[in-house]
mmCIF file of all heavy atoms in Angstrom:
data_model
loop_
_atom_site.group_PDB
_atom_site.id
_atom_site.type_symbol
_atom_site.label_atom_id
_atom_site.label_comp_id
_atom_site.label_asym_id
_atom_site.label_seq_id
_atom_site.Cartn_x
_atom_site.Cartn_y
_atom_site.Cartn_z
ATOM 1 N N ARG B 833 298.746 70.026 32.926
ATOM 2 C CA ARG B 833 297.620 69.715 33.829
ATOM 3 C C ARG B 833 297.889 70.209 35.245
ATOM 4 O O ARG B 833 297.000 70.659 35.954
ATOM 5 C CB ARG B 833 297.394 68.203 33.898
ATOM 6 C CG ARG B 833 296.618 67.639 32.739
ATOM 7 C CD ARG B 833 296.389 66.147 32.968
ATOM 8 N NE ARG B 833 296.227 65.453 31.705
ATOM 9 C CZ ARG B 833 295.089 65.451 31.017
ATOM 10 N NH1 ARG B 833 294.032 66.083 31.479
ATOM 11 N NH2 ARG B 833 295.009 64.811 29.868
ATOM 12 N N LYS B 834 299.131 70.107 35.653
ATOM 13 C CA LYS B 834 299.513 70.483 37.006
ATOM 14 C C LYS B 834 299.401 71.997 37.215
ATOM 15 O O LYS B 834 299.327 72.482 38.338
ATOM 16 C CB LYS B 834 300.952 69.990 37.225
ATOM 17 C CG LYS B 834 301.752 70.716 38.231
ATOM 18 C CD LYS B 834 302.160 69.805 39.356
ATOM 19 C CE LYS B 834 302.913 70.615 40.397
ATOM 20 N NZ LYS B 834 303.131 69.929 41.610
ATOM 21 N N MET B 835 299.388 72.748 36.112
ATOM 22 C CA MET B 835 299.400 74.205 36.212
ATOM 23 C C MET B 835 298.019 74.823 36.385
ATOM 24 O O MET B 835 297.887 76.044 36.376
ATOM 25 C CB MET B 835 300.097 74.790 34.985
ATOM 26 C CG MET B 835 301.576 74.464 34.978
ATOM 27 S SD MET B 835 302.273 74.403 33.328
ATOM 28 C CE MET B 835 302.614 76.073 33.077
ATOM 29 N N GLY B 836 297.003 74.020 36.549
ATOM 30 C CA GLY B 836 295.664 74.560 36.774
ATOM 31 C C GLY B 836 295.056 75.131 35.508
ATOM 32 O O GLY B 836 295.309 74.621 34.413
ATOM 33 N N ARG B 837 294.317 76.231 35.625
ATOM 34 C CA ARG B 837 293.631 76.800 34.470
ATOM 35 C C ARG B 837 294.627 77.340 33.453
ATOM 36 O O ARG B 837 295.494 78.145 33.770
ATOM 37 C CB ARG B 837 292.712 77.936 34.905
ATOM 38 C CG ARG B 837 291.735 78.379 33.833
ATOM 39 C CD ARG B 837 291.231 79.801 34.075
ATOM 40 N NE ARG B 837 292.141 80.776 33.451
ATOM 41 C CZ ARG B 837 292.022 82.091 33.600
ATOM 42 N NH1 ARG B 837 291.072 82.595 34.353
ATOM 43 N NH2 ARG B 837 292.864 82.910 32.995
ATOM 44 N N VAL B 838 294.532 76.903 32.224
ATOM 45 C CA VAL B 838 295.361 77.427 31.145
ATOM 46 C C VAL B 838 294.421 77.757 29.997
ATOM 47 O O VAL B 838 293.573 76.942 29.634
ATOM 48 C CB VAL B 838 296.407 76.381 30.693
ATOM 49 C CG1 VAL B 838 297.111 76.847 29.434
ATOM 50 C CG2 VAL B 838 297.421 76.123 31.796
ATOM 51 N N ASP B 839 294.541 78.957 29.415
ATOM 52 C CA ASP B 839 293.633 79.346 28.343
ATOM 53 C C ASP B 839 294.191 79.057 26.967
ATOM 54 O O ASP B 839 293.464 78.735 26.039
ATOM 55 C CB ASP B 839 293.335 80.854 28.442
ATOM 56 C CG ASP B 839 292.754 81.219 29.786
ATOM 57 O OD1 ASP B 839 291.650 80.737 30.084
ATOM 58 O OD2 ASP B 839 293.418 81.943 30.554
ATOM 59 N N LEU B 840 295.500 79.209 26.858
ATOM 60 C CA LEU B 840 296.085 79.123 25.526
ATOM 61 C C LEU B 840 297.470 78.498 25.619
ATOM 62 O O LEU B 840 298.275 78.875 26.469
ATOM 63 C CB LEU B 840 296.188 80.553 24.959
ATOM 64 C CG LEU B 840 296.466 80.723 23.481
ATOM 65 C CD1 LEU B 840 295.392 80.047 22.639
ATOM 66 C CD2 LEU B 840 296.535 82.212 23.151
ATOM 67 N N ILE B 841 297.727 77.544 24.728
ATOM 68 C CA ILE B 841 299.065 76.957 24.640
ATOM 69 C C ILE B 841 299.576 77.287 23.248
ATOM 70 O O ILE B 841 298.885 77.046 22.261
ATOM 71 C CB ILE B 841 299.006 75.430 24.850
ATOM 72 C CG1 ILE B 841 298.421 75.140 26.240
ATOM 73 C CG2 ILE B 841 300.384 74.804 24.700
ATOM 74 C CD1 ILE B 841 297.938 73.723 26.403
ATOM 75 N N VAL B 842 300.755 77.889 23.181
ATOM 76 C CA VAL B 842 301.305 78.290 21.887
ATOM 77 C C VAL B 842 302.655 77.604 21.708
ATOM 78 O O VAL B 842 303.493 77.642 22.604
ATOM 79 C CB VAL B 842 301.489 79.822 21.802
ATOM 80 C CG1 VAL B 842 301.716 80.246 20.358
ATOM 81 C CG2 VAL B 842 300.297 80.564 22.374
ATOM 82 N N ALA B 843 302.846 76.978 20.553
ATOM 83 C CA ALA B 843 304.106 76.281 20.286
ATOM 84 C C ALA B 843 304.528 76.572 18.863
ATOM 85 O O ALA B 843 303.714 76.950 18.029
ATOM 86 C CB ALA B 843 303.918 74.775 20.464
ATOM 87 N N GLY B 844 305.792 76.400 18.574
ATOM 88 C CA GLY B 844 306.256 76.485 17.191
ATOM 89 C C GLY B 844 305.684 75.310 16.412
ATOM 90 O O GLY B 844 305.362 74.274 16.979
ATOM 91 N N ARG B 845 305.560 75.481 15.103
ATOM 92 C CA ARG B 845 305.005 74.414 14.269
ATOM 93 C C ARG B 845 305.824 73.140 14.411
ATOM 94 O O ARG B 845 305.310 72.054 14.593
ATOM 95 C CB ARG B 845 305.005 74.876 12.804
ATOM 96 C CG ARG B 845 304.565 73.813 11.810
ATOM 97 C CD ARG B 845 304.766 74.306 10.391
ATOM 98 N NE ARG B 845 306.159 74.705 10.178
ATOM 99 C CZ ARG B 845 306.850 74.441 9.070
ATOM 100 N NH1 ARG B 845 306.286 73.802 8.078
ATOM 101 N NH2 ARG B 845 308.101 74.844 8.952
ATOM 102 N N GLN B 846 307.160 73.280 14.326
ATOM 103 C CA GLN B 846 308.015 72.100 14.431
ATOM 104 C C GLN B 846 309.402 72.511 14.887
ATOM 105 O O GLN B 846 309.774 73.677 14.794
ATOM 106 C CB GLN B 846 308.079 71.359 13.096
ATOM 107 C CG GLN B 846 308.688 72.152 11.958
ATOM 108 C CD GLN B 846 308.517 71.470 10.610
ATOM 109 O OE1 GLN B 846 307.541 70.780 10.362
ATOM 110 N NE2 GLN B 846 309.481 71.635 9.733
ATOM 111 N N ALA B 847 310.161 71.528 15.369
ATOM 112 C CA ALA B 847 311.528 71.792 15.813
ATOM 113 C C ALA B 847 312.480 71.370 14.712
ATOM 114 O O ALA B 847 312.243 70.376 14.021
ATOM 115 C CB ALA B 847 311.822 71.028 17.095
ATOM 116 N N ILE B 848 313.575 72.122 14.555
ATOM 117 C CA ILE B 848 314.460 71.864 13.413
ATOM 118 C C ILE B 848 315.289 70.593 13.556
ATOM 119 O O ILE B 848 315.910 70.159 12.606
ATOM 120 C CB ILE B 848 315.403 73.058 13.129
ATOM 121 C CG1 ILE B 848 316.246 73.387 14.360
ATOM 122 C CG2 ILE B 848 314.637 74.265 12.646
ATOM 123 C CD1 ILE B 848 317.377 74.348 14.067
ATOM 124 N N ASP B 849 315.309 69.970 14.740
ATOM 125 C CA ASP B 849 316.098 68.738 14.859
ATOM 126 C C ASP B 849 315.316 67.501 14.443
ATOM 127 O O ASP B 849 315.876 66.432 14.279
ATOM 128 C CB ASP B 849 316.655 68.565 16.279
ATOM 129 C CG ASP B 849 315.568 68.546 17.333
ATOM 130 O OD1 ASP B 849 314.413 68.916 17.016
ATOM 131 O OD2 ASP B 849 315.861 68.168 18.475
ATOM 132 N N GLY B 850 314.002 67.631 14.265
ATOM 133 C CA GLY B 850 313.243 66.463 13.840
ATOM 134 C C GLY B 850 312.261 66.790 12.729
ATOM 135 O O GLY B 850 311.902 65.932 11.937
ATOM 136 N N ASP B 851 311.824 68.052 12.663
ATOM 137 C CA ASP B 851 310.868 68.489 11.633
ATOM 138 C C ASP B 851 309.588 67.661 11.629
ATOM 139 O O ASP B 851 308.976 67.483 10.579
ATOM 140 C CB ASP B 851 311.491 68.392 10.230
ATOM 141 C CG ASP B 851 312.497 69.486 9.954
ATOM 142 O OD1 ASP B 851 312.444 70.514 10.650
ATOM 143 O OD2 ASP B 851 313.322 69.305 9.046
ATOM 144 N N THR B 852 309.164 67.114 12.768
ATOM 145 C CA THR B 852 308.003 66.226 12.701
ATOM 146 C C THR B 852 306.685 66.989 12.795
ATOM 147 O O THR B 852 305.680 66.530 12.273
ATOM 148 C CB THR B 852 308.015 65.179 13.828
ATOM 149 O OG1 THR B 852 307.752 65.819 15.070
ATOM 150 C CG2 THR B 852 309.336 64.441 13.880
ATOM 151 N N ALA B 853 306.648 68.112 13.486
ATOM 152 C CA ALA B 853 305.402 68.881 13.694
ATOM 153 C C ALA B 853 304.343 68.056 14.425
ATOM 154 O O ALA B 853 303.149 68.209 14.192
ATOM 155 C CB ALA B 853 304.857 69.411 12.371
ATOM 156 N N GLN B 854 304.782 67.141 15.296
ATOM 157 C CA GLN B 854 303.817 66.249 15.943
ATOM 158 C C GLN B 854 303.476 66.640 17.381
ATOM 159 O O GLN B 854 302.361 66.398 17.834
ATOM 160 C CB GLN B 854 304.363 64.814 15.935
ATOM 161 C CG GLN B 854 304.346 64.213 14.541
ATOM 162 C CD GLN B 854 305.023 62.865 14.458
ATOM 163 O OE1 GLN B 854 305.492 62.324 15.450
ATOM 164 N NE2 GLN B 854 305.090 62.316 13.266
ATOM 165 N N VAL B 855 304.422 67.220 18.092
ATOM 166 C CA VAL B 855 304.207 67.401 19.528
ATOM 167 C C VAL B 855 303.028 68.333 19.825
ATOM 168 O O VAL B 855 302.228 68.052 20.715
ATOM 169 C CB VAL B 855 305.509 67.873 20.226
ATOM 170 C CG1 VAL B 855 305.238 68.315 21.653
ATOM 171 C CG2 VAL B 855 306.523 66.726 20.229
ATOM 172 N N GLY B 856 302.880 69.412 19.063
ATOM 173 C CA GLY B 856 301.759 70.332 19.301
ATOM 174 C C GLY B 856 300.408 69.629 19.255
ATOM 175 O O GLY B 856 299.682 69.582 20.265
ATOM 176 N N PRO B 857 300.052 69.048 18.094
ATOM 177 C CA PRO B 857 298.764 68.347 18.016
ATOM 178 C C PRO B 857 298.622 67.213 19.048
ATOM 179 O O PRO B 857 297.522 66.970 19.563
ATOM 180 C CB PRO B 857 298.758 67.785 16.586
ATOM 181 C CG PRO B 857 299.604 68.743 15.811
ATOM 182 C CD PRO B 857 300.690 69.174 16.767
ATOM 183 N N GLN B 858 299.709 66.537 19.365
ATOM 184 C CA GLN B 858 299.610 65.438 20.339
ATOM 185 C C GLN B 858 299.309 65.972 21.741
ATOM 186 O O GLN B 858 298.540 65.369 22.485
ATOM 187 C CB GLN B 858 300.897 64.595 20.322
ATOM 188 C CG GLN B 858 300.981 63.725 19.055
ATOM 189 C CD GLN B 858 302.279 62.963 18.916
ATOM 190 O OE1 GLN B 858 303.320 63.368 19.425
ATOM 191 N NE2 GLN B 858 302.238 61.850 18.209
ATOM 192 N N VAL B 859 299.910 67.101 22.092
ATOM 193 C CA VAL B 859 299.601 67.711 23.394
ATOM 194 C C VAL B 859 298.133 68.127 23.427
ATOM 195 O O VAL B 859 297.417 67.887 24.414
ATOM 196 C CB VAL B 859 300.528 68.926 23.682
ATOM 197 C CG1 VAL B 859 300.023 69.721 24.880
ATOM 198 C CG2 VAL B 859 301.959 68.459 23.921
ATOM 199 N N ALA B 860 297.657 68.735 22.340
ATOM 200 C CA ALA B 860 296.247 69.170 22.273
ATOM 201 C C ALA B 860 295.310 67.977 22.476
ATOM 202 O O ALA B 860 294.328 68.050 23.229
ATOM 203 C CB ALA B 860 295.962 69.848 20.935
ATOM 204 N N GLU B 861 295.625 66.873 21.821
ATOM 205 C CA GLU B 861 294.769 65.686 21.949
ATOM 206 C C GLU B 861 294.784 65.178 23.375
ATOM 207 O O GLU B 861 293.745 64.825 23.923
ATOM 208 C CB GLU B 861 295.240 64.601 20.972
ATOM 209 C CG GLU B 861 294.251 63.446 20.789
ATOM 210 C CD GLU B 861 294.250 62.430 21.919
ATOM 211 O OE1 GLU B 861 295.308 62.253 22.581
ATOM 212 O OE2 GLU B 861 293.194 61.809 22.162
ATOM 213 N N LYS B 862 295.967 65.170 23.990
ATOM 214 C CA LYS B 862 296.058 64.643 25.352
ATOM 215 C C LYS B 862 295.288 65.520 26.334
ATOM 216 O O LYS B 862 294.755 65.046 27.323
ATOM 217 C CB LYS B 862 297.520 64.541 25.790
ATOM 218 C CG LYS B 862 298.326 63.601 24.900
ATOM 219 C CD LYS B 862 299.189 62.651 25.675
ATOM 220 C CE LYS B 862 299.867 61.616 24.803
ATOM 221 N NZ LYS B 862 298.956 60.837 23.962
ATOM 222 N N LEU B 863 295.219 66.830 26.051
ATOM 223 C CA LEU B 863 294.486 67.734 26.931
ATOM 224 C C LEU B 863 293.020 67.860 26.503
ATOM 225 O O LEU B 863 292.261 68.612 27.111
ATOM 226 C CB LEU B 863 295.146 69.118 26.929
ATOM 227 C CG LEU B 863 296.577 69.163 27.495
ATOM 228 C CD1 LEU B 863 297.188 70.532 27.264
ATOM 229 C CD2 LEU B 863 296.585 68.817 28.990
ATOM 230 N N ARG B 864 292.641 67.156 25.428
ATOM 231 C CA ARG B 864 291.275 67.188 24.904
ATOM 232 C C ARG B 864 290.822 68.602 24.560
ATOM 233 O O ARG B 864 289.707 69.007 24.873
ATOM 234 C CB ARG B 864 290.285 66.591 25.922
ATOM 235 C CG ARG B 864 290.632 65.193 26.401
ATOM 236 C CD ARG B 864 289.989 64.126 25.536
ATOM 237 N NE ARG B 864 290.222 62.791 26.045
ATOM 238 C CZ ARG B 864 291.345 62.088 25.819
ATOM 239 N NH1 ARG B 864 292.334 62.604 25.117
ATOM 240 N NH2 ARG B 864 291.476 60.868 26.302
ATOM 241 N N ILE B 865 291.715 69.369 23.964
ATOM 242 C CA ILE B 865 291.323 70.706 23.509
ATOM 243 C C ILE B 865 291.555 70.814 21.997
ATOM 244 O O ILE B 865 292.356 70.064 21.442
ATOM 245 C CB ILE B 865 292.104 71.834 24.246
ATOM 246 C CG1 ILE B 865 293.621 71.669 24.063
ATOM 247 C CG2 ILE B 865 291.740 71.868 25.729
ATOM 248 C CD1 ILE B 865 294.426 72.846 24.610
ATOM 249 N N PRO B 866 290.862 71.751 21.330
ATOM 250 C CA PRO B 866 291.073 71.894 19.882
ATOM 251 C C PRO B 866 292.463 72.445 19.571
ATOM 252 O O PRO B 866 293.139 72.984 20.459
ATOM 253 C CB PRO B 866 289.996 72.900 19.443
ATOM 254 C CG PRO B 866 289.088 73.083 20.597
ATOM 255 C CD PRO B 866 289.809 72.651 21.827
ATOM 256 N N GLN B 867 292.866 72.326 18.310
ATOM 257 C CA GLN B 867 294.163 72.820 17.862
ATOM 258 C C GLN B 867 293.977 73.669 16.613
ATOM 259 O O GLN B 867 293.070 73.421 15.832
ATOM 260 C CB GLN B 867 295.089 71.641 17.535
ATOM 261 C CG GLN B 867 294.674 70.868 16.280
ATOM 262 C CD GLN B 867 295.339 69.505 16.175
ATOM 263 O OE1 GLN B 867 295.402 68.744 17.135
ATOM 264 N NE2 GLN B 867 295.814 69.175 14.983
ATOM 265 N N VAL B 868 294.841 74.663 16.474
ATOM 266 C CA VAL B 868 294.932 75.392 15.204
ATOM 267 C C VAL B 868 296.408 75.379 14.827
ATOM 268 O O VAL B 868 297.236 75.974 15.523
ATOM 269 C CB VAL B 868 294.405 76.835 15.326
ATOM 270 C CG1 VAL B 868 294.686 77.612 14.034
ATOM 271 C CG2 VAL B 868 292.910 76.849 15.617
ATOM 272 N N THR B 869 296.736 74.699 13.733
ATOM 273 C CA THR B 869 298.134 74.574 13.315
ATOM 274 C C THR B 869 298.467 75.619 12.247
ATOM 275 O O THR B 869 297.564 76.197 11.645
ATOM 276 C CB THR B 869 298.392 73.169 12.749
ATOM 277 O OG1 THR B 869 297.369 72.875 11.800
ATOM 278 C CG2 THR B 869 298.365 72.116 13.843
ATOM 279 N N TYR B 870 299.739 75.826 12.001
ATOM 280 C CA TYR B 870 300.262 76.736 10.963
ATOM 281 C C TYR B 870 299.759 78.161 11.112
ATOM 282 O O TYR B 870 299.504 78.833 10.115
ATOM 283 C CB TYR B 870 299.913 76.264 9.545
ATOM 284 C CG TYR B 870 300.028 74.795 9.320
ATOM 285 C CD1 TYR B 870 298.908 74.006 9.062
ATOM 286 C CD2 TYR B 870 301.272 74.162 9.361
ATOM 287 C CE1 TYR B 870 299.016 72.649 8.851
ATOM 288 C CE2 TYR B 870 301.376 72.804 9.151
ATOM 289 C CZ TYR B 870 300.256 72.057 8.896
ATOM 290 O OH TYR B 870 300.358 70.716 8.680
ATOM 291 N N ALA B 871 299.558 78.643 12.350
ATOM 292 C CA ALA B 871 299.071 80.006 12.524
ATOM 293 C C ALA B 871 300.143 80.991 12.070
ATOM 294 O O ALA B 871 301.334 80.814 12.357
ATOM 295 C CB ALA B 871 298.712 80.255 13.978
ATOM 296 N N GLU B 872 299.707 82.003 11.342
ATOM 297 C CA GLU B 872 300.654 82.978 10.804
ATOM 298 C C GLU B 872 300.389 84.372 11.348
ATOM 299 O O GLU B 872 301.293 85.186 11.490
ATOM 300 C CB GLU B 872 300.534 82.989 9.278
ATOM 301 C CG GLU B 872 301.447 83.963 8.592
ATOM 302 C CD GLU B 872 301.359 83.840 7.087
ATOM 303 O OE1 GLU B 872 300.484 84.469 6.472
ATOM 304 O OE2 GLU B 872 302.163 83.068 6.530
ATOM 305 N N GLU B 873 299.115 84.651 11.651
ATOM 306 C CA GLU B 873 298.790 86.006 12.083
ATOM 307 C C GLU B 873 297.629 85.967 13.063
ATOM 308 O O GLU B 873 296.648 85.239 12.853
ATOM 309 C CB GLU B 873 298.402 86.835 10.841
ATOM 310 C CG GLU B 873 298.305 88.314 11.111
ATOM 311 C CD GLU B 873 297.784 89.081 9.889
ATOM 312 O OE1 GLU B 873 297.826 88.541 8.758
ATOM 313 O OE2 GLU B 873 297.303 90.203 10.083
#
Side-chain angles (χ1 to χ4, degrees):
Chain B
R833 280 183 206 280
K834 154 118 183 169
M835 292 153 85
R837 193 202 88 186
V838 171
D839 303 296
L840 194 59
I841 300 163
V842 194
R845 175 187 56 139
Q846 63 190 32
I848 58 168
D849 58 347
D851 285 340
T852 71
Q854 289 173 2
V855 169
Q858 287 175 333
V859 168
E861 193 282 332
K862 299 226 173 305
L863 296 172
R864 306 269 185 278
I865 58 172
Q867 70 196 46
V868 173
T869 49
Y870 319 113
E872 179 175 86
E873 191 186 342

